[in-house]
């Protein structure tokens, strides 16, 4: 059956890096005889410029109909001053919530060839491969009541951290299943000694362990997890946590790798339909110069093939091709070091395609 991928390049460097991922997609379609059709839609500032809306109905409809979405990046100074509801970021938030993309997958992988890019010692991070599974549509970012009110003559700000058993079970299932196809180790992060909401979190995750006897489940308080991530990050395989802790820990883990231009991400719904995008933004400072690193987007495509299209073989081939190109010493400016060959966005994409075909 034909699978439909919607391509949403977005703003800034988005169109440049997505074009390279599309080259790679065309190459694997040929090599692996994949039955995939693609369509394209506007999102973010570029959609606002045409439709007055960062997520016009026509784009949302296409996103609903697709099996997976390959997303570039959105935003830029051009749209910073427009009314809040029409800003590019709102388009992405609406897209995530309209498609119920509750599971955010953020791998932190450090290719050995780039170990020197990390601020940590190479032996601590070289070969790092962890996956953070963050709950994306619940918790304190969405809980009610929330606001700022007057109390005893001063303003008081408040938010509500709330998770139902079913929400915890839903994200827990994604994490256990991912642990099963990876290193079979799952760490659940909470603050159960202080917060009741995470006491329930820990209880529900623990109750699920019997369904996955092969997975070694452990628990850690968030403060300890933050420390362990910089002390000995390779001890982890899959980490599952709520929205707030996940936001912070996934950025910390991302930074272990030293290069934002290398990091892909996925946001999935219950049926594994997903939106795949690089972790970085639209990099307006380098947009249009042809120097952006397309590898995070190419690796996002590889996640798309692995998780939504269930083609781990194709995903492995793309990841191997990326590694090969790094091994050959090709680097975009953001990851360039002495002795390597500096290449632009298109040359990097072409090199990955060539490595795939060889
Ligand atoms: P950014 O990630 O765009 O850029 C941070 C720095 O990293 C910049 O110096 C940039 O040049 C560099 N960089 C980022 N991606 C790169 C790549 N692929 N290759 C080489 N260098 C790269 O973050 P920012 O500057 O804080 O935000 C810029 C815009 O992006 C803002 O409008 C912000 O709202 C938006 N943004 C969008 C997303 C998204 O689309 N999901 C995420 C974060 C930020």
């Amino acid at each position: 059956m034909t699978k439909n991928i919607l391509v949403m390049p977005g703003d800034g460097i988005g169109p440049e890096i997505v074009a390279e991922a599309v080259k790679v997609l065309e190459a694997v379609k040929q090599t692996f005889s994949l039955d995939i059709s693609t369509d394209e839609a506007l999102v973010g500032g570029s959609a606002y410029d045409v439709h007055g809306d960062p997520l016009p109905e026509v784009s949302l409809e296409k996103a609903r109909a697709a099996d997976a979405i390959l997303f570039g990046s959105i935003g830029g100074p051009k749209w910073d001053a427009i009314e809040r509801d029409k800003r590019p970021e709102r388009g992405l938030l609406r897209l995530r919530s309209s498609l119920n993309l509750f599971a955010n997958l953020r791998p932190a992988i450090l290719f050995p060839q780039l170990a020197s890019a990390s601020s940590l010692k190479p032996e601590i991070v070289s070969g790092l491969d962890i996956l953070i599974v963050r709950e994306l549509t619940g918790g304190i970012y969405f809980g009610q009541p929330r606001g700022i009110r007057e109390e005893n003559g001063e303003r008081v700000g408040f938010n509500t951290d709330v998770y139902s058993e079913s929400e915890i079970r839903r994200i827990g299932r994604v994490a256990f299943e991912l642990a099963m196809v990876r290193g079979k180790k799952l760490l659940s992060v909470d603050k159960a000694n202080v917060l009741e909401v995470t006491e329930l979190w820990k209880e529900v995750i623990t109750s699920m362990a019997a369904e996955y006897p092969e997975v070694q489940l452990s628990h850690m308080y968030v403060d300890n997890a933050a420390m362990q991530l910089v002390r000995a990050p390779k001890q982890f395989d899959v980490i599952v946590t709520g929205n707030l802790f996940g936001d912070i820990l996934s950025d910390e883990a991302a930074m272990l790798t030293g290069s934002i231009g290398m990091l892909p991400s996925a946001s999935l719904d219950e049926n594994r339909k997903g939106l795949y995008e690089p972790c970085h933004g639209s990099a307006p400072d380098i947009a249009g110069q042809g120097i952006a690193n397309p590898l995070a987007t190419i690796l996002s495509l590889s996640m798309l093939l692995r998780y939504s299209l269930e083609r781990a073989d194709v995903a492995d081939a793309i990841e191997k091709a990326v590694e090969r190109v790094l091994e050959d010493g090709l680097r975009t400016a953001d990851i360039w070091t002495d002795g390597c060959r500096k290449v632009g966005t298109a040359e990097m994409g072409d090199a990955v395609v060539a490595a795939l075909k060889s």
Side-chain angles (χ1 to χ4, degrees), residues 13 71 73-76 89 92 260-261 277 280-286 292-293 334:
I13 59 170
F71 193 96
S73 53
I74 41 99
E89 302 74 40
L92 179 56
I260 187 100
E277 58 179 324
H280 58 73
S282 59
D285 53 334
I286 57 166
N293 187 346
D334 57 312

Side-chain angles (χ1 to χ4, degrees), residues 6-23:
L6 180 66
V7 178
M8 300 182 105
D11 311 319
I13 59 170
E16 300 167 46
I17 52 181
V18 165
E20 300 313 308
V22 169
K23 274 185 197 166

Side-chain angles (χ1 to χ4, degrees), residues 44-358:
S46 50
Y48 174 81
D49 287 347
V50 176
H51 298 276
D53 183 344
L55 183 64
E57 198 50 39
V58 55
S59 297
L60 181 57
E61 273 316 305
K62 285 184 178 187
R64 285 208 169 101
D67 294 298
I69 299 158
L70 181 65
F71 193 96
S73 53
I74 41 99
K78 181 178 173 195
W79 303 282
D80 277 353
I82 62 178
E83 58 183 297
R84 191 169 288 277
D85 253 16
K86 302 281 185 202
R87 288 196 194 149
E89 302 74 40
R90 288 294 160 136
L92 179 56
L93 290 178
R94 252 171 50 213
L95 186 58
R96 284 181 183 149
S97 63
S98 306
L99 300 181
N100 207 12
L101 304 174
F102 69 93
N104 186 217
L105 276 48
R106 296 261 310 251
I109 296 169
L110 185 57
F111 291 97
Q113 297 84 354
L114 300 180
S116 61
S118 173
S119 54
L120 297 188
K121 292 186 197 119
E123 63 269 26
I124 292 183
V125 285
S126 181
L128 178 78
D129 181 1
I130 59 182
L131 177 64
I132 300 203
V133 181
R134 165 190 172 195
E135 202 292 326
L136 200 59
T137 54
I140 197 161
Y141 289 178
F142 293 91
Q144 295 288 347
R146 61 192 295 160
I148 300 173
R149 64 172 176 244
E150 284 283 330
E151 222 175 87
N152 301 324
E154 63 174 344
R155 291 188 303 153
V156 175
F158 58 99
N159 288 89
T160 304
D161 199 357
V162 55
Y163 273 115
S164 65
E165 288 180 288
S166 57
E167 279 176 306
I168 302 168
R169 207 165 283 121
R170 186 171 72 161
I171 191 76
R173 196 161 302 292
V174 172
F176 272 108
E177 280 170 12
L178 288 169
M180 283 293 289
V181 296
R182 289 178 44 103
K184 298 196 168 62
K185 268 169 56 178
L186 176 62
L187 174 78
S188 171
V189 172
D190 60 64
K191 189 70 184 167
N193 52 340
V194 182
L195 301 172
E196 285 82 353
V197 57
T198 68
E199 197 181 315
L200 180 70
W201 176 282
K202 185 174 181 178
E203 215 180 285
V204 173
I205 297 283
T206 305
S207 74
M208 299 176 73
E211 292 171 58
Y212 304 90
E214 285 175 59
V215 176
Q216 182 196 329
L217 172 68
S218 57
H219 304 271
M220 206 178 264
Y221 296 143
V222 63
D223 39 351
N224 189 19
M227 277 198 301
Q228 295 297 330
L229 267 176
V230 286
R231 196 188 70 84
K234 284 195 270 186
Q235 68 183 288
F236 300 123
D237 176 23
V238 179
I239 298 178
V240 63
T241 191
N243 207 341
L244 173 63
F245 298 162
D247 192 1
I248 299 164
L249 292 181
S250 60
D251 266 14
E252 186 189 359
M255 280 302 106
L256 295 177
T257 70
S259 178
I260 187 100
M262 295 293 302
L263 294 170
S265 79
S267 305
L268 306 181
D269 76 0
E270 251 160 313
N271 303 313
R272 293 282 174 100
K273 170 172 172 160
L275 179 128
Y276 297 83
E277 58 179 324
C279 287
H280 58 73
S282 59
D285 53 334
I286 57 166
Q289 297 177 29
I291 59 169
N293 187 346
L295 293 179
T297 317
I298 291 171
L299 293 169
S300 299
L301 170 68
S302 142
M303 288 186 84
L304 183 157
L305 288 154
R306 188 180 299 283
Y307 297 119
S308 285
L309 270 50
E310 294 178 6
R311 288 300 301 254
D313 55 334
V314 187
D316 286 345
I318 295 176
E319 285 160 26
K320 275 207 188 79
V322 168
E323 194 159 356
R324 172 96 170 272
V325 165
L326 294 173
E327 190 63 46
D328 290 345
L330 271 67
R331 302 282 190 275
T332 42
D334 57 312
I335 53 172
W336 180 82
T337 46
D338 261 346
C340 293
R341 187 154 77 81
K342 200 181 279 182
V343 296
T345 312
E347 200 180 338
M348 184 57 105
D350 291 341
V352 175
V353 169
L356 262 167
K357 289 185 168 166
S358 66

